[in-house]
Amino acid sequence: MCLGIPGKILDCFESRGLRMAKVGFGGIVREACLQCIPEACVGDYVLVHVGFAIARMDEQEASRTYRLLEEMGQLNELKPSDNENGA
Amino acid sequence: MKYVDEYRSGALARNIVREIRQVQTRPWVIMEVCGGQTHSIVKHGIDELLPEGIELVHGPGCPVCVTSLEMIDKAHAIARRPEVIFTSFGDMLRVPGSEADLLTLKSQGADVRVVYSPLDALKIARANPEKKVVFFAIGFETTAPANATAVWQAKREGVKNFSMLVSHVLVPPAIAAILQAPQNRVQGFLGPGHVCAVRGFGEYEAISSRFRVPIAITGFEPLDILEGTLMVVRQLESGRAKVENQYVRAVRREGNRMAQELMSEVFEICDRKWRGVGAIPKSGYRLRSEFRDHDAGRLFEVEEIDTQEPAACISGQILKGVKKPHDCPAFGTSCTPQHPLGATMVSAEGACAAYYLYGRHLRKEETGHVT
């Protein structure tokens, strides 16, 4: 139910006084309300839930977290694995 | 898709599991609060990938599941009226009330329509001024800004035929209720990422320090859930109890301020009954009196509804993390997603329905995998 999908803002416009956007989700384009993310603009990634942007995705944090997870793997390579017993 | 695919790497998942194994010295019970996380865990077999002794128990975070039977019966009574177009998220259509579900009512002639967004329900109201359009506003804090915006906009535009039946629930009071229960087993939490994207995590810091319990605000992809679990296990092993934010790409400590302002302009906190759990003080939202002309609960007089849940159902204990679906003799036999007996089987995000959907009623143990 609390599903939120990251999508890229393709276009911003106003409808009946509400700030709206066309948001692309990997090929599918849907309208989303930007009322609560006033700073978001074309090219930004937003997290959309029931047609409503609830957060801006932080691109730097997304890649930083991923890099840290990758590094964890690389560091693990230096440690003895579970199947190794020093033979 | 960006921000999705990279968080599903099987190789990285195995590395995090190995890290958890290296950190862990004793058994721990960790609850994921959100139904979306439960679904992801069971779908990807994350709980079975974790080292022995790290037990994930599934929390009450499926708003469809915990919507009370009384509220569902009330929704159905409104949907049956000839002057009403009843709009709802698709998840609610198959949830049985005491007599039927919304799909059955639709087949009997009620005008029931599924909407993707509450703003779509408002569009239906504009297009059908001769009808009364009611939206079934369920959800946690994640959904509240969208629902608040729809009713706020209806008032601003003067769309008088639009109203909401509000059954919103809030996560922090439910976590506190779980921790206060005498039979509680939960030692750490994966916090609900999207709820916190809206609300921030100040409320969770208060819970963490009050109950000395570690919480990692966590996303929904397999790597998010594994990393959140690692964060909680590290805290448990070192005797720390604080809130850490695994889901930094979407969650900031203060949350979304504009969304919070909108929510508090439209909603006020109230006591709420949770299906399977019972009443939890100050655990829900209702419309403020300024929005009473859009309050379906007030506009449609519905007789006092008396409901009774099947005695065989143990969903209350499952929602509190005390039991698992396999502990229930009805699971997969007399209780299935087609014929659910209680809260945790009525929606795909409920623990019982997720276990059933991914075939766990067919087996007791099997090694999971992440792809």
Side-chain angles (χ1 to χ4, degrees):
Chain A
M1 174 77 207
C2 286
L3 183 71
I5 303 175
K8 190 175 188 176
I9 299 179
L10 306 174
D11 185 24
C12 294
F13 60 97
E14 209 183 277
S15 170
R16 297 173 189 267
L18 285 180
R19 188 146 188 266
M20 303 290 292
K22 295 229 180 277
V23 180
F25 304 93
I28 299 164
V29 178
R30 293 200 86 141
E31 278 187 12
C33 180
L34 282 189
Q35 195 70 3
C36 287
I37 321 272
E39 74 279 13
C41 49
V42 172
D44 283 347
Y45 281 85
V46 285
L47 194 61
V48 176
H49 169 71
V50 298
F52 200 88
I54 53 169
R56 220 172 108 186
M57 297 299 284
D58 190 322
E59 205 159 342
Q60 279 182 333
E61 286 294 355
S63 54
R64 195 184 67 91
T65 306
Y66 187 72
R67 222 170 38 241
L68 285 177
L69 294 174
E70 270 187 327
E71 279 167 15
M72 185 189 291
Q74 282 155 13
L75 293 176
N76 264 321
E77 298 307 312
L78 302 173
K79 297 175 185 169
S81 84
D82 301 332
N83 302 323
E84 287 168 8
N85 39 25
Chain B
M1 198 202 305
K2 200 168 170 69
Y3 302 136
V4 174
D5 293 340
E6 56 262 62
Y7 285 91
R8 292 185 179 173
S9 156
L12 291 191
R14 280 185 284 277
N15 284 332
I16 305 174
V17 170
R18 192 156 48 169
E19 187 78 17
I20 294 171
R21 192 172 292 128
Q22 280 165 355
V23 171
Q24 180 210 4
T25 62
R26 48 167 287 195
W28 299 108
V29 177
I30 299 168
M31 172 178 276
E32 87 281 358
V33 173
C34 177
Q37 291 168 335
T38 303
H39 192 97
S40 187
I41 286 164
V42 181
K43 177 179 178 184
H44 297 283
I46 293 169
D47 52 340
E48 296 173 322
L49 194 69
L50 288 170
E52 203 176 324
I54 303 290
E55 185 185 358
L56 289 181
V57 293
H58 318 303
C62 163
V64 177
C65 300
V66 300
T67 301
S68 73
L69 200 49
E70 288 89 340
M71 190 60 85
I72 291 166
D73 283 351
K74 192 168 187 175
H76 292 178
I78 294 171
R80 279 195 184 96
R81 294 180 177 234
E83 76 275 23
V84 166
I85 299 175
F86 194 84
T87 57
S88 166
F89 295 130
D91 317 41
M92 285 307 285
L93 279 202
R94 287 188 179 279
V95 179
S98 296
E99 289 175 15
D101 58 28
L102 283 170
L103 259 191
T104 309
L105 297 187
K106 190 175 166 69
S107 73
Q108 292 166 353
D111 194 344
V112 176
R113 302 188 194 181
V114 171
V115 289
Y116 160 68
S117 163
L119 291 172
D120 293 339
L122 185 57
K123 274 186 201 162
I124 293 173
R126 285 194 206 103
N128 296 275
E130 74 292 353
K131 289 278 198 173
K132 291 179 180 170
V133 175
V134 181
F135 176 70
F136 199 1
I138 63 153
F140 281 104
E141 292 92 324
T142 316
T143 318
N147 290 348
T149 300
V151 74
W152 179 82
Q153 180 71 4
K155 185 176 187 230
R156 193 167 74 154
E157 278 184 47
V159 185
K160 292 195 167 58
N161 63 327
F162 178 78
S163 64
M164 270 188 186
L165 182 64
V166 177
S167 184
H168 264 284
V169 276
L170 304 172
V171 172
I175 293 184
I178 287 164
L179 288 169
Q180 282 168 313
Q183 72 275 43
N184 173 51
R185 306 167 56 220
V186 181
Q187 296 160 298
F189 286 90
L190 304 183
H194 291 155
V195 164
C196 292
V198 171
R199 284 296 306 178
F201 51 81
E203 296 164 298
Y204 298 80
E205 289 171 339
I207 289 176
S208 175
S209 78
R210 179 178 164 202
F211 295 98
R212 298 267 325 137
V213 64
I215 301 174
I217 309 302
T218 300
F220 296 79
E221 297 301 334
L223 292 192
D224 291 322
I225 290 164
L226 285 168
E227 196 193 13
T229 306
L230 173 60
M231 285 174 158
V232 171
V233 172
R234 275 193 179 133
Q235 285 200 52
L236 288 166
E237 288 287 345
S238 61
R240 288 176 300 141
K242 60 175 192 168
V243 174
E244 289 182 284
N245 183 11
Q246 183 278 327
Y247 200 28
V248 271
R249 64 189 188 278
V251 175
R252 275 156 284 278
R253 186 181 179 279
E254 70 278 9
N256 183 331
R257 285 263 162 82
M258 285 203 73
Q260 292 162 21
E261 280 170 26
L262 196 68
M263 285 150 71
S264 56
E265 189 182 335
V266 172
F267 295 127
E268 61 188 6
I269 288 174
C270 63
D271 297 344
R272 176 75 67 212
K273 186 174 178 188
W274 296 50
R275 190 172 197 172
V277 177
I280 303 179
K282 297 181 180 168
S283 69
Y285 277 147
R286 67 179 172 213
L287 285 172
R288 287 188 180 278
S289 61
E290 294 90 319
F291 294 87
R292 61 185 173 277
D293 293 345
H294 300 280
D295 186 347
R298 202 185 68 85
L299 296 174
F300 297 90
E301 286 293 324
V302 176
E303 276 178 50
E304 196 64 27
I305 294 167
D306 187 32
T307 58
Q308 202 140 23
E309 297 276 10
C313 180
I314 63 162
S315 61
Q317 287 163 296
I318 294 173
L319 289 167
K320 290 178 203 153
V322 178
K323 292 200 169 171
K324 290 281 190 71
H326 280 125
D327 298 325
C328 179
F331 172 66
T333 53
S334 60
C335 182
T336 63
Q338 289 72 39
H339 298 284
L341 288 185
T344 42
M345 191 61 102
V346 298
S347 155
E349 288 187 358
C352 294
Y355 273 52
Y356 189 91
L357 185 63
Y358 294 105
R360 293 200 182 179
H361 58 300
L362 302 173
R363 60 174 168 81
K364 287 219 161 120
E365 279 181 36
E366 188 184 287
T367 308
H369 65 281
V370 173
T371 52

